[in-house]
Amino acid sequence: MSERRVHRLQLRAADEASVTRMLPRLEDALRCASLPGDDARVLLVRRLALGRIAPDISPQALSMLIERQVAQAGTAWAENNAEAVPPPQAEVVCFASPLDARVRLGLRLLRGASCEAWYWPLAVPEFEPGLPFVLQARRVLRTLAAWPQARIAVPAWVAAMVRAGGAATLAAAMNEREGTGLLQQAALPVLEDLDDRPAPQDRPSESGPHGVQVPDAPADPLRSLPRWLRSVLQASGGFDAELAPLRSHRSRSESVGATRATVPGAGPEALEATASVDTARAQERAGASPTSPKAELRQATEGPRKSPEASPVVARPTDFPPLATSLPHVLLEQSPYLEPTACGGLLFLLPVLARLGFAGQDPLPADLAQHVLHLALQRLPVDDDDPGWQLARPAPDLESGARALHWLRLARRWLWRAGRLGLRRLVLRPARLGVSATHADLHFTLDDVDLRVRRLGLDIDPGWLPWYGRVVGFHFEGQARP
C-alpha cells in the first residue's frame, strides 16, 4: 500500500488520555480506508472534517467515515489534457501518478503560469514556489533519477518539457558533469557517438538525374544540445502517443520485409510446428481456417488498427522546432480514472515469464515482454477499444515476433502444467485498469479472487520490472461487484 501522510491533525477531547487513545485508531483507519491513492495515483486532501467521533469507535468504522467524507468532499481530477490542472479552490485533488504531477507542473512553469495552488508543494515535494524553471528542473531531475523506475521517468519528463519548448532551459539546468552523473544514477547510457557522427552539411552534395543538385539534409538539431540531454532524448524513443488512455489502441504498422526468423534453442522445424498448432487452435475457436506459420509471424508484427477518432498530440511552437516535432510523443494524457477492461489477467503473465528466466536473457531485447503480451491479446476475443491494449506493443519485425511467440509458448506450457490454466481463463477476467508512463495498476474486487492464480502466486505485486518498463500492482478491494 502507498504511503499516507497527515501534515496537521487537530483533535479536541476532555483530557489528554482520550486523545492518546484515539491516535492509534486514526492510524489504523487511515491504513484500512479505501482511497484512490492506493495505486500510482496521488490523492491530496486539503482539509477533512470528521465531525464528532464516539470515544469507543472502532478503527473499521472510523475508516468508513473517512471514506464517506472524502467522497462527499468531491475530488478534482487532473483531466487527460496534460496542461489542465485542478482548480486552486478544490479540497481534494488527484493526479494520475507522481510523474504526471511533475509533467503538469513543468508545463505550467514553462508557460509562466501561476503555480501558487495549495496542492503543488504536496504533489511535488521538491517544488519551491518562486524559483526559476532552471532550478526547478534540476530538483525534479534529481528526484526522478532516485526512483527505481528512473530510466523511464527521466526520459519521459525531459521529452515532455522539450516538446513544450524547454530544450534551451533544460540545457542550462545542468553542466556536463552533473548531467553524466544523472545518467549514471538513472541507469541511462551515455551516447558517446553523438559527436562523432558527420554533420549533414559536411557531407558532399549529391547530384540527381540530369545533373539536378539534390539539397543537403537539414542539420541535426540535437547537435546544439549538451551530450547528457541528447542521451536522455535518445532514451525517450520508446514512448508513443498510442499509449494514451481512451484512445483506440490497435493500429497497423508498416509492412515488414520478409526475413526468416530464428529463436535461440529452437530450430526452424520446431518453431513452425509450434506456430502451426497455436494458430490452428486460435482460429478453430474463431471458426476460421488455419493459416501458415509465416503468416502468423507477420500478424504478430502488425500493429493494432487505428481508430479514426484518434488524433495525434499537437506540439506547441518551440525554440527548437525541428527537434520538438521529431521527438516521439510521450504519454502526456494520463488519466486518473480507472477504465474497465476485460483482460484484467494479462499482466499475470509477467510473473510466469519471470519464473521462466525471462529476465536472464543476455542481451534482453527491448520491449520483448510487451510483444509477448500483444501476441497473447491477439489470440483472445478482446475488443479493439479495450484499454488493455495499452499494456502491450506489437513486434516491429519477424525476428522479434518469433522470439515473442517462443516465450508465449513456454508460458502457456508452464501455466497448464503448474495449474491447469489456459491462456483464455487466465487473461479474460474483469478489472479496472490505470496506466501511466511508469505504472500499470489493475484493480479487482473480492469476487475476482481466483484460488488457482493465488496458489501459483501470480497475483502478488511484482513491483518495478525493468524488463517490462513499469511498476506493476494488483489491488483487491473490499467492495464486491453488484
Side-chain angles (χ1 to χ4, degrees):
M1 188 182 69
S2 59
E3 182 183 15
R4 292 177 176 175
R5 288 184 184 177
V6 177
H7 290 265
R8 185 180 179 184
L9 175 64
Q10 290 183 343
L11 286 176
R12 291 182 181 179
D15 50 35
E16 186 177 352
S18 300
V19 175
T20 304
R21 287 194 299 268
M22 184 60 63
L23 287 178
R25 301 178 191 177
L26 272 173
E27 292 179 0
D28 292 341
L30 282 173
R31 293 190 186 99
C32 298
S34 297
L35 301 174
D38 284 342
D39 47 22
R41 293 175 293 178
V42 178
L43 181 71
L44 305 169
V45 182
R46 187 177 190 179
R47 181 178 181 273
L48 189 65
L50 299 180
R52 185 179 296 274
I53 301 175
D56 57 346
I57 190 172
S58 66
Q60 293 78 11
L62 192 53
S63 68
M64 295 177 64
L65 175 61
I66 293 175
E67 294 173 6
R68 288 197 301 268
Q69 294 300 107
V70 171
Q72 292 176 4
T75 303
W77 304 88
E79 298 294 339
N80 284 1
N81 182 6
E83 298 187 3
V85 296
Q89 66 273 15
E91 294 292 332
V92 182
V93 172
C94 187
F95 292 95
S97 67
L99 176 62
D100 176 52
R102 286 161 174 82
V103 168
R104 295 174 189 271
L105 175 63
L107 294 178
R108 289 187 65 84
L109 290 173
L110 278 176
R111 296 198 315 268
S114 173
C115 298
E116 298 178 355
W118 63 269
Y119 49 78
W120 285 123
L122 299 177
V124 186
E126 66 272 16
F127 168 65
E128 182 177 339
L131 287 182
F133 177 76
V134 174
L135 299 181
Q136 302 284 13
R138 286 171 58 90
R139 294 187 172 198
V140 171
L141 285 172
R142 288 174 176 174
T143 300
L144 297 179
W147 290 0
Q149 62 273 21
R151 70 175 183 86
I152 303 296
V154 171
W157 190 84
V158 169
M161 298 303 105
V162 172
R163 288 195 62 84
T169 310
L170 285 178
M174 289 186 175
N175 57 38
E176 197 62 48
R177 182 179 58 83
E178 293 173 331
T180 303
L182 176 77
L183 294 174
Q184 294 175 352
Q185 186 179 5
L188 292 171
V190 180
L191 303 182
E192 300 291 346
D193 59 336
L194 284 173
D195 286 334
D196 299 334
R197 296 178 301 175
Q201 61 268 24
D202 297 338
R203 294 194 299 263
S205 302
E206 299 179 358
S207 297
H210 310 290
V212 178
Q213 194 75 11
V214 178
D216 293 336
D220 187 1
L222 288 175
R223 288 182 172 273
S224 59
L225 300 179
R227 178 173 299 182
W228 72 268
L229 185 53
R230 287 178 281 164
S231 301
V232 174
L233 292 175
Q234 185 72 20
S236 68
F239 303 96
D240 297 325
E242 65 188 9
L243 299 179
L246 301 180
R247 290 176 180 243
S248 189
H249 313 295
R250 311 191 79 181
S251 62
R252 294 259 177 206
S253 60
E254 296 182 358
S255 58
V256 185
T259 58
R260 190 171 185 83
T262 58
V263 177
E269 296 81 4
L271 176 61
E272 293 188 4
T274 304
S276 299
V277 172
D278 292 341
T279 308
R281 289 175 181 171
Q283 295 189 344
E284 182 181 355
R285 292 194 299 267
S289 58
T291 57
S292 66
K294 293 183 179 180
E296 186 187 14
L297 288 181
R298 291 192 181 93
Q299 182 185 6
T301 61
E302 289 180 352
R305 296 183 298 274
K306 202 169 225 179
S307 165
E309 300 90 61
S311 56
V313 178
V314 179
R316 290 165 44 87
T318 69
D319 47 354
F320 285 89
L323 174 60
T325 55
S326 63
L327 279 177
H329 293 285
V330 187
L331 180 57
L332 296 180
E333 299 185 1
Q334 301 180 28
S335 173
Y337 302 102
L338 300 178
E339 299 300 325
T341 177
C343 50
L346 179 64
L347 296 187
F348 291 160
L349 284 171
L350 298 180
V352 177
L353 294 176
R355 297 186 185 186
L356 292 171
F358 184 87
Q361 301 178 76
D362 188 19
L364 180 61
D367 298 333
L368 180 57
Q370 297 191 34
H371 302 163
V372 176
L373 299 182
H374 192 271
L375 265 182
L377 287 178
Q378 283 186 323
R379 295 168 178 274
L380 299 172
V382 181
D383 293 340
D384 292 355
D385 57 351
D386 192 292
W389 289 102
Q390 301 173 82
L391 304 173
R393 186 187 299 271
D397 50 49
L398 292 179
E399 182 177 359
S400 301
R403 285 180 177 271
L405 182 64
H406 172 68
W407 283 102
L408 180 61
R409 175 173 60 88
L410 293 179
R412 296 180 67 178
R413 182 187 300 171
W414 186 94
L415 283 169
W416 184 252
R417 289 179 176 178
R420 289 296 186 265
L421 277 172
L423 187 63
R424 175 189 292 261
R425 191 172 294 275
L426 177 74
V427 174
L428 296 184
R429 56 186 68 224
R432 293 182 301 155
L433 174 64
V435 182
S436 69
T438 55
H439 288 72
D441 291 284
L442 284 158
H443 292 252
F444 304 90
T445 67
L446 293 181
D447 289 345
D448 300 319
V449 176
D450 191 334
L451 292 181
R452 292 167 301 177
V453 176
R454 179 62 55 87
R455 279 194 295 265
L456 296 176
L458 303 183
D459 57 358
I460 301 175
D461 281 356
W464 165 243
L465 297 177
W467 44 272
Y468 180 60
R470 280 193 176 98
V471 178
V472 179
F474 304 129
H475 311 271
F476 292 87
E477 299 168 346
Q479 65 271 22
R481 289 197 313 274

